[in-house]
Amino acid sequence: MKIAVLGTRGFPGVQGGVEAHCENLYPRLAARGCEVVVFTRAQYVDPSIKEFEGVKFIPLTCPSNKFLEAFVHTFKGVLAAIRLKPDIVHIHASGPSLCVPMVRMLGMKAVMTSHGPEHLRKKWAGLPKYILMIGEYLGVTWANGVISVSKANAERLRKNFKRDISDIPNGVIIPEAAKTREALDKYGLGVGKYILAVGRFVPEKGFHDLIARTFPGGWKLVIAGKSDHEDKYSLDLKRKAAENPNIVLTGFITGKTLQELYSHAGLFVLPSYYEGLPIALLEAMSYRLSCIVSDIPANREVGLSEERYFMAGDVEGLFLRMNDFIAKPMTEEEKSRQIELLKQKYDWDKIAEETLKVYQEIGEVGISNG
């Protein structure tokens, strides 16, 4: 079975939830006999890299513009996919899904993965927000099969569009904790004496709430991430963070450096206003980290204990929770329960099997458009 993939910037080591999802999913599908071709965006992945763990790459150029990048790349990718004669064109996210009808009209079968109601992200307003809503509508109504990475989002789509939605979550790999501390030395951090947050510098991540107050004595805040497209929000965030010596901005990091920061943190915080299903939270949990998160549906779905949630945007509630859990480290029993939960619900091998079933069902029985 040949699968053409669009809607991701590419991988490995590219910032973004969709990118992390694809980096974990498609090598597993390749190992199960699928021929997977990912159309990458040339400015994010070295065009000389032709393959990664059995997944073939075809780089395509596109404008580095947050309003045009995804659509232009997907449009070009659909035209390029015709020559491959794929069994399935798998498109991720609402913006790229504007091209799902094009896939169908060109005689190919399409799967859409919804990573959440993207039109609710704070960075989108006016016309771009409306276009994302149209993209979701076209993707869900025209695709042969639709996958949602969260249960709450799947229920929303079923209710709004009256069609079957496959609920297949993001996943996580249970890692070994890092023993080395080079990243801590680099950033001036003490073991178990810093709060970690991971993500893009966009309003819906809520990092502006995290930097609104000072931190308990001796503790620092580390935010690992950056902006994809520099704007007023990301510049303001960096300026305010620079005014506080207890805030460390690492930029986008991956590999050993990120592993060390997860391994030695004292607390992980995700103050999001919007998420699909947060891979960063699953990763933090996999390192047996104590986590507190905003009470949005996607974060609720993960199933932390009630006291670990705070109202999104409630800065006072956020800092009260932070102070509570700084003073109350996790027990070994709590850590073990957290790992068992991840193994049961968020195993990438099971996720790959479920995705392959969607492909196989579509191959057997096509679904006519809207």
Side-chain angles (χ1 to χ4, degrees):
M1 180 176 287
K2 183 181 290 186
I3 313 300
V5 180
L6 287 158
T8 175
R9 294 173 175 88
F11 52 86
V14 178
Q15 178 175 245
V18 174
E19 287 65 39
H21 178 98
C22 293
E23 182 174 342
N24 283 282
L25 174 63
Y26 290 111
R28 286 172 170 81
L29 288 172
R32 285 163 172 77
C34 293
E35 181 183 347
V36 182
V37 179
V38 175
F39 290 95
T40 63
R41 301 180 200 175
Q43 63 266 49
Y44 295 96
V45 180
D46 184 345
S48 68
I49 301 174
K50 302 300 183 184
E51 187 172 320
F52 175 78
E53 295 185 4
V55 177
K56 297 175 184 177
F57 291 163
I58 297 179
L60 298 174
T61 58
C62 58
S64 294
N65 177 294
K66 70 178 182 180
F67 300 110
L68 296 175
E69 179 183 301
F71 174 75
V72 171
H73 182 267
T74 308
F75 183 86
K76 292 175 69 174
V78 171
L79 294 178
I82 297 171
R83 295 191 295 273
L84 298 178
K85 298 181 179 179
D87 297 291
I88 303 285
V89 177
H90 193 159
I91 296 181
H92 291 263
S94 297
S97 291
L98 287 163
C99 295
V100 169
M102 179 182 172
V103 172
R104 298 297 311 281
M105 287 187 284
L106 289 171
M108 297 178 286
K109 292 180 179 179
V111 170
M112 175 215 184
T113 290
S114 171
H115 291 262
E118 295 173 61
H119 57 278
L120 297 182
R121 291 183 174 181
K122 287 180 174 287
K123 69 176 180 178
W124 303 121
L127 182 60
K129 180 174 182 174
Y130 182 64
I131 289 172
L132 285 173
M133 294 172 69
I134 294 173
E136 179 179 84
Y137 169 78
L138 293 176
V140 174
T141 55
W142 279 76
N144 297 86
V146 181
I147 296 169
S148 169
V149 300
S150 80
K151 292 182 183 296
N153 185 55
E155 284 303 315
R156 179 185 67 86
L157 295 176
R158 290 184 190 110
K159 180 180 178 181
N160 290 348
F161 298 104
K162 305 295 188 285
R163 69 162 294 175
D164 291 336
I165 308 293
S166 299
D167 172 18
I168 306 176
N170 288 321
V172 71
I173 299 168
I174 308 299
E176 291 290 330
K179 301 277 196 296
T180 54
R181 302 176 183 177
E182 293 172 18
L184 276 64
D185 294 337
K186 177 180 179 179
Y187 297 116
L189 305 169
V191 174
K193 297 289 284 185
Y194 60 93
I195 299 154
L196 179 64
V198 178
R200 293 178 184 160
F201 289 4
V202 287
E204 63 264 20
K205 290 296 181 184
F207 293 154
H208 53 281
D209 293 335
L210 262 182
I211 67 173
R213 298 280 186 87
T214 56
F215 304 99
W219 282 67
K220 291 187 177 183
L221 169 67
V222 179
I223 304 178
K226 66 173 186 176
S227 171
D228 289 331
H229 304 283
E230 205 77 89
D231 57 14
K232 183 179 183 302
Y233 176 82
S234 61
L235 292 171
D236 284 348
L237 190 72
K238 290 196 287 189
R239 177 180 56 78
K240 291 175 182 176
E243 295 170 355
N244 188 332
N246 289 321
I247 298 178
V248 177
L249 303 183
T250 69
F252 173 64
I253 55 174
T254 187
K256 182 182 177 183
T257 302
L258 184 59
Q259 181 188 22
E260 290 180 350
L261 290 179
Y262 271 130
S263 297
H264 301 302
L267 187 68
F268 177 85
V269 181
L270 188 65
S272 307
Y273 292 71
Y274 163 91
E275 291 285 349
L277 184 66
I279 289 179
L281 173 57
L282 300 180
E283 288 177 340
M285 293 170 67
S286 76
Y287 281 93
R288 297 162 175 80
L289 258 175
S290 179
C291 301
I292 60 170
V293 299
S294 56
D295 64 350
I296 59 175
N299 290 343
R300 283 277 182 187
E301 188 171 312
V302 174
L304 298 174
S305 58
E306 184 63 31
E307 68 271 15
R308 293 184 178 277
Y309 292 96
F310 58 89
M311 185 179 298
D314 178 7
V315 175
E316 186 65 30
L318 163 60
F319 277 80
L320 284 172
R321 286 283 187 269
M322 286 168 58
N323 284 320
D324 287 345
F325 284 97
I326 282 172
K328 188 171 67 174
M330 288 181 77
T331 66
E332 289 303 315
E333 183 181 353
E334 288 173 320
K335 292 177 182 179
S336 295
R337 283 202 303 267
Q338 190 161 286
I339 295 301
E340 283 307 310
L341 182 150
L342 295 178
K343 289 179 178 178
Q344 292 172 18
K345 294 178 64 176
Y346 302 108
D347 178 79
W348 274 118
D349 288 321
K350 293 178 183 176
I351 291 162
E353 290 290 348
E354 291 300 312
T355 304
L356 185 56
K357 286 179 185 176
V358 172
Y359 294 165
Q360 291 168 337
E361 289 169 1
I362 289 170
E364 293 170 1
V365 182
I367 298 175
S368 62
N369 62 280

